[in-house]
Amino acid sequence: QVQLVESGGRQVRPGESLSLSCTSSGFILDYYTIGWFRQAPGKAREGIACISKMDTSTYYSDSVKGRFTISRDSGKRAVYLQMNSLKPEDTAVYYCAADTLATAKSLCTRPVVKNWGQGTQVTVSS
């Protein structure tokens, strides 16, 4: 089973930037469609940024388009979420997930993920 670990979450001020990391060991993430998801208190989990196998396509939710960017490192063992112009409404626990078959859009919009892991908390406040 794929094992991913999210890291990088912390408290930041509105308008600032933050980068989250999704890392794996023992396999190459280039062979998986990878997605970033978030869940705010009392709200449903939402897919916000997904990248397809071999980086053929990406998908961003309307809430983060133009502000967040998903990317992979050169070794293909990590996926990043660069978050710019952060807003208080971006406050949430952020998770990453992997799928071998999904497209970027399908992973973000209709994920089939059994274990979401621990996630990493991002808090945007003054």
Side-chain angles (χ1 to χ4, degrees):
Q1 295 293 309
V2 61
Q3 294 190 51
L4 303 174
V5 178
E6 305 93 342
S7 63
R10 62 181 177 88
Q11 184 175 10
V12 298
R13 303 180 188 88
E16 294 297 315
S17 297
L18 185 66
S19 182
L20 305 181
S21 297
C22 173
T23 59
S24 71
S25 62
F27 61 94
I28 305 299
L29 289 178
D30 190 47
Y31 303 147
Y32 296 81
T33 296
I34 307 295
W36 282 99
F37 303 78
R38 68 185 183 187
Q39 187 167 29
K43 299 181 180 179
R45 196 191 315 271
E46 61 172 333
I48 57 169
C50 293
I51 186 166
S52 68
K53 295 169 64 174
M54 312 307 293
D55 299 350
T56 55
S57 64
T58 56
Y59 173 89
Y60 297 96
S61 68
D62 290 341
S63 60
V64 308
K65 282 180 182 175
R67 298 188 298 121
F68 291 9
T69 303
I70 186 170
S71 63
R72 304 176 189 265
D73 73 0
S74 60
K76 311 301 183 183
R77 290 183 171 86
V79 174
Y80 304 107
L81 183 67
Q82 178 64 44
M83 305 184 292
N84 298 327
S85 302
L86 283 162
K87 305 174 181 179
E89 52 263 44
D90 295 319
T91 297
V93 178
Y94 285 71
Y95 306 85
C96 62
D99 193 294
T100 59
L101 299 176
T103 64
K105 183 176 181 178
S106 66
L107 179 59
C108 263
T109 59
R110 51 181 182 87
V112 181
V113 180
K114 184 176 181 179
N115 190 340
W116 292 95
Q118 297 300 117
T120 185
Q121 175 73 47
V122 174
T123 301
V124 185
S125 63
S126 299

